[in-house]
Amino acid sequence: MNPLVLLILLLIFSLSTLFSDTLLLLLIHLIISLLIIFSIRNKLNEWKVMVAPFIKFLPLTGLIFFFISILFSNKPIFEIILNVSLATIRLIVLSGVMTVYIIQTKEQDTYAAIRSIWYSFKKSWRWMDDLFLYFDIIIRFFPNFQFEWKIIERSSQSLCFNNNSGMFKKIKSIAMYLPDFIIINLNKADNLIISVLMRGYGTVLPRSVYPFIPIKLIDTLAIILMAIFVIGIHYFV
């Protein structure tokens, strides 16, 4: 399935979960979310690692909201408990489902799907291609940028140059390495510009995309069926 279509389907499901104001509706969404999570059962361990911080944090926020409601609200305790429980379940369902999307699709796949849609329009807008190139460079080179900065930090710590005993010393140590780090990356940026221009960037608009990920008829039908399902379940249940 097109990763962008999958994102739209999960966003529709997430909005439906947020607007579920009864226990029955929320239970239906909870069951569906469990089926969605079961679809990646071969990657369940990875899902557990990614969703664990949310699962630990959300009950705590529920308790805080519960005590605040008791202090400043005139509602009965049973109603407060019910509202807090429903809100916590909604957030757990949202975090679990969207984590499935992160595991199932890579950020490059979603980006390629968005570019494929733009390429299908055949619009020769230079500023749009520049914008896509900007995000393409960020997606490709930011992890390397982050890795290089971690190497600098580890090197300074191993040489005992970076004693993070306080916030001020940490800021001072970062400021000491930052100018050289920026100059090095500016030189890399110049080399990158030369490479892009040598490959003929800007001569043909719009730029082609690989892999090309079109929106097929089955993807359109999936979005329509999901919208009908969400509207029907909120109308009849």
Side-chain angles (χ1 to χ4, degrees):
M1 178 179 288
N2 189 305
L4 191 59
V5 174
L6 179 60
L7 177 61
I8 293 173
L9 293 177
L10 293 179
L11 286 176
I12 293 174
F13 177 78
S14 300
L15 289 174
S16 178
T17 304
L18 287 175
F19 288 108
S20 299
D21 54 355
T22 63
L23 184 59
L24 179 59
L25 268 176
L26 201 54
L27 287 176
I28 293 173
H29 285 79
L30 180 60
I31 294 172
I32 295 174
S33 67
L34 292 176
L35 294 176
I36 294 173
I37 295 170
F38 183 75
S39 66
I40 59 163
R41 54 189 178 277
N42 56 334
K43 300 180 181 178
L44 197 59
N45 290 330
E46 184 180 357
W47 178 86
K48 290 179 180 178
V49 172
M50 294 183 67
V51 83
F54 297 99
I55 301 299
K56 294 178 181 178
F57 176 74
L58 291 176
L60 178 61
T61 58
L63 286 174
I64 294 174
F65 179 72
F66 173 74
F67 288 117
I68 291 175
S69 299
I70 290 178
L71 292 174
F72 299 101
S73 176
N74 296 324
K75 294 181 179 180
I77 294 181
F78 176 77
E79 186 176 353
I80 294 174
I81 293 174
L82 180 62
N83 292 334
V84 170
S85 301
L86 292 178
T88 304
I89 293 173
R90 288 191 193 99
L91 294 176
I92 290 174
V93 170
L94 292 180
S95 59
V97 169
M98 297 312 296
T99 303
V100 171
Y101 175 77
I102 295 173
I103 294 174
Q104 282 287 80
T105 60
K106 299 178 181 179
E107 58 186 8
Q108 291 86 352
D109 295 335
T110 306
Y111 175 74
I114 296 172
R115 279 198 60 199
S116 298
I117 294 175
W118 173 250
Y119 183 74
S120 300
F121 293 151
K122 301 295 183 181
K123 297 290 186 180
S124 300
W125 293 356
R126 177 63 182 266
W127 67 271
M128 183 61 74
D129 278 274
D130 291 342
L131 185 63
F132 279 126
L133 180 63
Y134 172 74
F135 286 111
D136 194 8
I137 291 173
I138 290 176
I139 292 172
R140 291 188 181 185
F141 293 102
F142 181 76
N144 185 46
F145 177 87
Q146 191 177 25
F147 179 72
E148 289 178 353
W149 181 257
K150 287 182 179 180
I151 290 178
I152 292 175
E153 286 187 332
R154 291 173 183 173
S155 300
S156 61
Q157 288 176 359
S158 63
L159 295 173
C160 300
F161 291 156
N162 188 7
N163 184 15
N164 295 328
S165 58
M167 181 61 67
F168 178 76
K169 289 185 177 180
K170 187 174 182 179
I171 295 173
K172 185 178 179 181
S173 63
I174 292 174
M176 182 174 60
Y177 297 110
L178 194 58
D180 294 334
F181 189 72
I182 292 175
I183 292 173
I184 292 172
N185 283 277
L186 285 175
N187 292 330
K188 290 182 179 179
D190 291 335
N191 295 331
L192 179 62
I193 292 171
I194 295 173
S195 300
V196 169
L197 293 176
M198 289 180 65
R199 293 183 180 183
Y201 173 75
T203 56
V204 178
L205 297 175
R207 291 188 303 133
S208 59
V209 55
Y210 181 84
F212 181 75
I213 307 175
I215 295 181
K216 302 177 182 178
L217 178 60
I218 189 172
D219 297 325
T220 306
L221 290 175
I223 295 175
I224 295 173
L225 290 176
M226 173 61 81
I228 293 174
F229 171 77
V230 169
I231 294 173
I233 197 173
H234 281 272
Y235 183 79
F236 292 105
V237 177

